[in-house]
Amino acid sequence: MPNETVKLAQVYKSFGELEVLKGIDLTVNSGETVVMLGSSGSGKSTLLRCINFMETPTAGHIYLHGDRVGAEKSGKIYYRESELCKLRSKIGMVFQHFNLFPHMTVLQNVMEGQITVLKRGKSESIQKAQAQLERVGLLDKADEYPSRLSGGQKQRVAIARALAMDPEVMLFDEVTSALDPELVGEVLKTMRQLAEDGMTMVIVTHELGFAYHVANRVLFLDDGVILEQGVPHDILKHPKTQRMREFLEGHSLFKLPE
Amino acid sequence: MSACEQHRNIDMYEWDFIAVFSDIDLLALGLLNTLKVTSLALLFGIPLGLMLAVSRLSRFKPLSFSASFIIEFFRTTPPLVQLFWFFFALPILIDIRMTPLIASVLTFSIQSSAFFAEIFRGGIQSIDKGQWEGAKAIGMNYWQSMRRIILPQAVKRMIPAFMERSIELLKTTTLVSTVAYTDLMYQANDLAQKTFRPLEVYTVVAVMYFILIFVFSQVSLLIEHRLARSGESTVR
Amino acid sequence: MNTDWLAAAKARCASMQHNWDFATIIQNWPVLMVGLKGTVWIFLVTVVIGLSTGLIVGICRYAKNRWIRWPATALVEIFRNTPVLVQIIWFYYAFPILTGIDVNPFLAAVLGISLNTMAFSAEIYRAGIQSIEPGQWEAGKAIGMTYSQTMRRIILPVALRRILPALTNRGIEVFKMSTLASVVAYVETLSKAKLIADLNYNPIEAYTAVAILFFVVLYPIVQLTYVLERTLRKSDA
């Protein structure tokens, strides 16, 4: 399969006694937009964070473009920090709380990874950073500090920062949950644009409308397993399981188009 | 001397600063040496403190344990005991020619590094976990994150505690007079004996210390206010 | 030149083997204990005087009347911004000339260390009082309490709890500071150790023993402050 970007095989994750992921198999193809739904504690954020090893899986394998991450020695998998850093530099991630660097300007935020990690030259980094800021519509804020931006603007800068690394896949971890309602739209619009540009994306969100309109595939996680998955129309309109129905009823404020 | 006579004596005490001021260059030299010991101790103490802090935060247990031990030991033992140890004991243990200056700088570098280490640690730990995650997510390793993202923010928060500790250090350096290093305190003792004017000498020296330390304190307060006003713009 | 230096260094390493001999320390243990008694005694006196006068001065610094506030501020600034050793020596050598009062080593050290502790703890108390939300003052006022009633019954109980770690830290500093009394020949642990070192030519063992002694006494207290800080942070959250 040439266009398989990320593959997870039998991924388990425990925090102490608590088993959060119980054997996840997932393949994300190039250009695909996958949205993960699930109530809090279902393991969706942990799953997302395992893809770029913000959390190290307790068991299982993760592949990027068919290459398995980590080296196996006598049945145990070992991960070197340098290998994980390299991996993370190819996978963009956007967080709920932005995590912008407050001591750097917007432009410097977007340049930082290019210079420190990718060792790009300064002028190239500036060019790339400006291009990505333009893409998220914030080029005019390049010299501001993050503290002067609105939540929605911060999140778009965070997206630009990830994009500037030329990632092969982008991970979004509840990126609109900390935003005021009126600011959610601008971030979703940016993400939709990315999807239309053919970016490979894995998204954890509560925005069912976004899932319905933008996702190629929707997963429903419950208690550490993928309970249902399918194209948005099928899964959101005709859930097969009781758990999924309950979950959708919990979001009754949202009306799916008839 | 009867009580009455003594009383008269007080009334009749004539302040005489001439003896002090004619030898003011002695005190000036002492002041210079006080500043010398203080700045040398800062020069070595700050990097050493950073090393201790990072070691203490390390996940490698033996390293973190030994750093903790050094920090706690030098924080819980009196600096004067440390100074005596370095001056009188160390030269027997390792064959070096110990001078008052070396002993003083050694003692106060290590002593203050233990305190600086705790300031560094506090500063580093005060940085939001999301900053580590943000750095990690763009592929930075531990040291890159520490150097580029965490420390620049932590240092800014540490500045007030940092200045306070430096002022404490300046005050503590008076102890070096006990091992005959010619700092301001030592020169004062010397001059008091020479002139038989301890009241004037020690008062002048106290005022000199006061002015020096008061000015430093005010400057640090000013910086603190400025920092507070500019706000440590943390994300969120 | 370079190799000479190297050879010298090697020779130094060879002579580094020191025969640790703590026997004389154990023999002289009673002497050291006399010193420790002196240390504990001066610590208790200074910490009690310092922390109690500090509370008074700290409250005065918060007073609305400037004739109370300014002297309190001056006291704090003077004793915070001069080294303790200078204070002790000033009280020992200069103060008697000025006042005609006979000052022995103990009194000089007590004056110096207590006043220093007073100044530092006054700032701690003040910070503690200021950390209480204005709403607490208003609540006290609203049920008809006077200033001093509100201070005593509402503000101080909470403030004191909050500053407990800082006060304990101050106490640790005072305990260490007590060694400075040896400079004016007050008998405490360090001066006894120096005596033992001079008589037996064993400064390494003598000073190491004192250092360990202080560490053993203070380390549990330092740990206690960590526990205090943690529990207070939890209960405040």
Side-chain angles (χ1 to χ4, degrees):
Chain A
M1 271 180 284
N3 67 344
E4 155 191 313
T5 303
V6 175
K7 195 175 102 180
L8 282 73
Q10 281 301 298
V11 167
Y12 288 81
K13 175 69 188 177
S14 309
F15 294 104
E17 293 285 288
L18 186 72
E19 196 171 37
V20 182
L21 298 180
K22 300 170 181 171
I24 301 281
D25 289 302
L26 171 67
T27 304
V28 179
N29 292 321
S30 174
E32 202 181 11
T33 301
V34 175
V35 168
M36 300 201 282
L37 302 175
S39 45
S40 67
S42 61
K44 56 190 189 313
S45 273
T46 306
L47 174 56
L48 191 78
R49 289 164 61 84
C50 277
I51 296 175
N52 67 342
F53 285 79
M54 296 301 281
E55 308 286 355
T56 307
T58 319
H61 295 297
I62 292 171
Y63 302 81
L64 185 68
H65 287 309
D67 297 326
R68 196 178 72 196
V69 183
E72 198 163 331
K73 235 185 266 167
S74 53
K76 264 199 77 137
I77 320 161
Y78 291 89
Y79 302 102
R80 290 208 327 276
E81 195 195 11
S82 58
E83 185 192 4
L84 295 186
C85 286
K86 191 133 195 266
L87 176 84
R88 290 188 198 110
S89 73
K90 294 184 206 161
I91 302 178
M93 185 170 214
V94 187
F95 301 88
Q96 181 177 1
H97 293 291
F98 331 125
N99 300 346
L100 292 180
F101 308 133
H103 59 304
M104 298 178 182
T105 63
V106 164
L107 189 71
Q108 287 168 336
N109 261 280
V110 184
M111 288 166 63
E112 180 60 25
Q114 302 184 59
I115 287 179
T116 311
V117 179
L118 301 181
K119 313 286 180 204
R120 282 188 189 145
K122 199 173 170 193
S123 58
E124 189 193 351
S125 302
I126 292 175
Q127 261 177 18
K128 265 255 155 54
Q130 284 172 337
Q132 295 305 338
L133 284 174
E134 173 106 70
R135 192 171 178 187
V136 300
L138 286 171
L139 189 53
D140 56 324
K141 301 283 184 199
D143 295 323
E144 296 278 14
Y145 281 90
S147 57
R148 316 250 316 166
L149 304 182
S150 74
Q153 290 170 331
K154 282 181 193 169
Q155 200 56 294
R156 280 146 67 200
V157 173
I159 292 171
R161 180 174 73 180
L163 288 174
M165 304 291 287
D166 295 326
E168 291 163 24
V169 53
M170 288 277 287
L171 312 177
F172 293 84
D173 190 3
E174 304 202 23
V175 294
T176 55
S177 301
L179 297 179
D180 294 334
E182 73 272 19
L183 301 175
V184 169
E186 58 184 274
V187 175
L188 292 182
K189 209 180 104 195
T190 307
M191 287 163 68
R192 184 176 196 150
Q193 189 57 51
L194 275 183
E196 281 163 10
D197 292 350
M199 174 60 75
T200 313
M201 292 158 62
V202 184
I203 299 161
V204 168
T205 186
H206 294 289
E207 303 288 337
L208 295 189
F210 180 80
Y212 187 84
H213 290 292
V214 181
N216 302 112
R217 181 154 50 118
V218 174
L219 311 179
F220 178 68
L221 264 85
D222 188 60
D223 197 25
V225 295
I226 298 176
L227 205 58
E228 286 191 43
Q229 59 177 313
V231 293
H233 182 80
D234 291 351
I235 190 169
L236 293 173
K237 288 282 178 103
H238 310 289
K240 294 191 196 77
T241 59
Q242 182 61 27
R243 294 286 298 132
M244 177 98 195
R245 269 193 291 278
E246 281 167 15
F247 172 80
L248 289 175
E249 277 160 20
H251 288 73
S252 56
L253 274 179
F254 169 74
K255 290 272 177 283
L256 287 171
E258 290 306 314
Chain B
M1 204 185 282
S2 75
C4 177
E5 265 178 313
Q6 218 174 29
H7 194 78
R8 201 164 349 120
N9 233 356
I10 304 161
D11 288 339
M12 283 166 55
Y13 187 82
E14 279 177 37
W15 291 81
D16 176 15
F17 285 103
I18 293 165
V20 183
F21 287 113
S22 63
D23 267 327
I24 197 77
D25 50 332
L26 259 178
L27 296 183
L29 177 72
L31 184 66
L32 214 67
N33 282 339
T34 289
L35 292 174
K36 186 164 128 192
V37 173
T38 308
S39 22
L40 282 174
L42 282 175
L43 186 72
F44 297 117
I46 291 170
L48 197 59
L50 179 60
M51 269 161 56
L52 281 173
V54 171
S55 307
R56 190 172 192 172
L57 289 170
S58 161
R59 251 177 287 172
F60 182 56
K61 279 276 173 301
L63 184 64
S64 123
F65 181 81
S66 26
S68 303
F69 179 76
I70 293 171
I71 293 169
E72 298 295 353
F73 194 82
F74 279 90
R75 273 160 54 96
T76 50
T77 50
L80 193 55
V81 174
Q82 295 162 11
L83 183 63
F84 279 17
W85 197 91
F86 279 111
F87 189 66
F88 295 114
L90 189 65
I92 300 175
L93 211 54
I94 56 168
D95 182 25
I96 50 165
R97 230 174 57 81
M98 187 56 76
T99 66
L101 178 65
I102 295 176
S104 305
V105 171
L106 208 56
T107 304
F108 288 109
S109 299
I110 301 177
Q111 198 251 356
S112 58
S113 79
F115 284 91
F116 283 130
E118 287 302 273
I119 297 173
F120 273 116
R121 187 168 71 115
I124 291 169
Q125 286 183 329
S126 79
I127 302 298
D128 180 43
K129 212 172 93 243
Q131 291 295 306
W132 285 102
E133 297 216 320
K136 206 171 164 186
I138 52 172
M140 286 192 180
N141 61 33
Y142 178 83
W143 286 111
Q144 287 169 333
S145 314
M146 185 67 112
R147 206 165 37 84
R148 306 271 316 167
I149 309 300
I150 305 300
L151 275 183
Q153 297 178 60
V155 164
K156 198 178 157 197
R157 290 188 192 182
M158 283 160 13
I159 286 171
F162 215 77
M163 309 266 304
E164 198 186 312
R165 212 351 90 181
S166 307
I167 291 169
E168 278 310 300
L169 173 65
L170 175 63
K171 286 192 257 178
T172 320
T173 58
T174 47
L175 304 194
V176 303
S177 63
T178 60
V179 295
Y181 181 68
T182 49
D183 77 325
L184 183 53
M185 188 76 240
Y186 181 88
Q187 298 291 70
N189 290 335
D190 205 30
L191 197 60
Q193 275 171 15
K194 241 182 10 201
T195 57
F196 301 105
R197 286 276 168 193
L199 176 58
E200 287 84 350
V201 172
Y202 288 122
T203 305
V204 166
V205 166
V207 170
M208 283 171 79
Y209 270 114
F210 178 80
I211 293 172
L212 184 65
I213 294 164
F214 188 74
V215 167
F216 275 133
S217 310
Q218 293 306 307
V219 170
S220 86
L221 270 181
L222 205 77
I223 294 173
E224 205 173 317
H225 283 307
R226 174 124 351 139
L227 283 177
R229 212 164 350 118
S230 76
E232 313 153 319
S233 45
T234 2
V235 199
R236 271 188 205 212
Chain C
M1 179 91 185
N2 233 337
T3 46
D4 275 0
W5 183 84
L6 209 69
K10 271 185 190 152
R12 267 177 211 169
C13 286
S15 70
M16 244 172 75
Q17 285 128 347
H18 170 76
N19 293 318
W20 289 82
D21 174 24
F22 278 103
T24 41
I25 301 297
I26 293 166
Q27 275 166 24
N28 286 295
W29 196 248
V31 180
L32 219 50
M33 283 304 107
V34 170
L36 187 62
K37 229 163 90 184
T39 298
V40 170
W41 175 232
I42 200 164
F43 162 74
L44 288 176
V45 172
T46 48
V47 96
V48 167
I49 298 177
L51 293 190
S52 49
T53 51
L55 177 59
I56 298 166
V57 175
I59 292 175
C60 289
R61 279 206 74 181
Y62 201 62
K64 292 200 177 66
N65 185 333
R66 75 174 77 138
W67 298 109
I68 300 173
R69 201 171 64 230
W70 286 355
T73 306
L75 229 81
V76 168
E77 292 299 342
I78 289 171
F79 287 100
R80 262 170 63 96
N81 290 309
T82 45
V84 196
L85 189 59
V86 173
Q87 291 159 17
I88 294 174
I89 291 199
W90 191 88
F91 278 115
Y92 192 61
Y93 292 108
F95 185 69
I97 300 173
L98 197 64
T99 59
I101 299 169
D102 200 25
V103 174
N104 63 20
F106 176 73
L107 187 57
V110 165
L111 279 170
I113 298 173
S114 310
L115 286 167
N116 187 271
T117 308
M118 174 199 76
F120 272 92
S121 61
E123 283 303 275
I124 297 174
Y125 291 118
R126 191 171 71 117
I129 293 168
Q130 282 180 337
S131 80
I132 307 291
E133 313 63 52
Q136 294 290 308
W137 285 102
E138 290 180 357
K141 225 188 229 170
I143 55 172
M145 283 184 168
T146 64
Y147 174 85
S148 72
Q149 277 170 335
T150 315
M151 180 66 102
R152 240 174 336 109
R153 314 252 338 144
I154 313 283
I155 307 300
L156 276 184
V158 183
L160 286 181
R161 224 171 62 91
R162 250 178 225 181
I163 60 175
L164 207 55
L167 285 183
T168 318
N169 270 329
R170 209 15 54 198
I172 293 166
E173 285 305 309
V174 175
F175 197 81
K176 293 194 291 177
M177 232 183 255
S178 67
T179 51
L180 299 191
S182 68
V183 175
V184 289
Y186 172 73
V187 174
E188 47 69 72
T189 320
L190 182 57
S191 64
K192 282 296 183 193
K194 190 164 186 341
L195 187 73
I196 295 170
D198 290 348
L199 289 178
N200 301 289
Y201 311 108
N202 61 345
I204 305 183
E205 288 83 358
Y207 293 127
T208 307
V210 189
I212 293 172
L213 202 60
F214 271 94
F215 179 71
V216 167
V217 172
L218 290 181
Y219 185 71
I221 302 173
V222 171
Q223 293 308 307
L224 181 77
T225 61
Y226 289 154
V227 174
L228 275 177
E229 272 167 30
R230 234 173 291 138
T231 48
L232 283 175
R233 214 177 302 140
K234 254 187 232 150
S235 67
D236 262 10

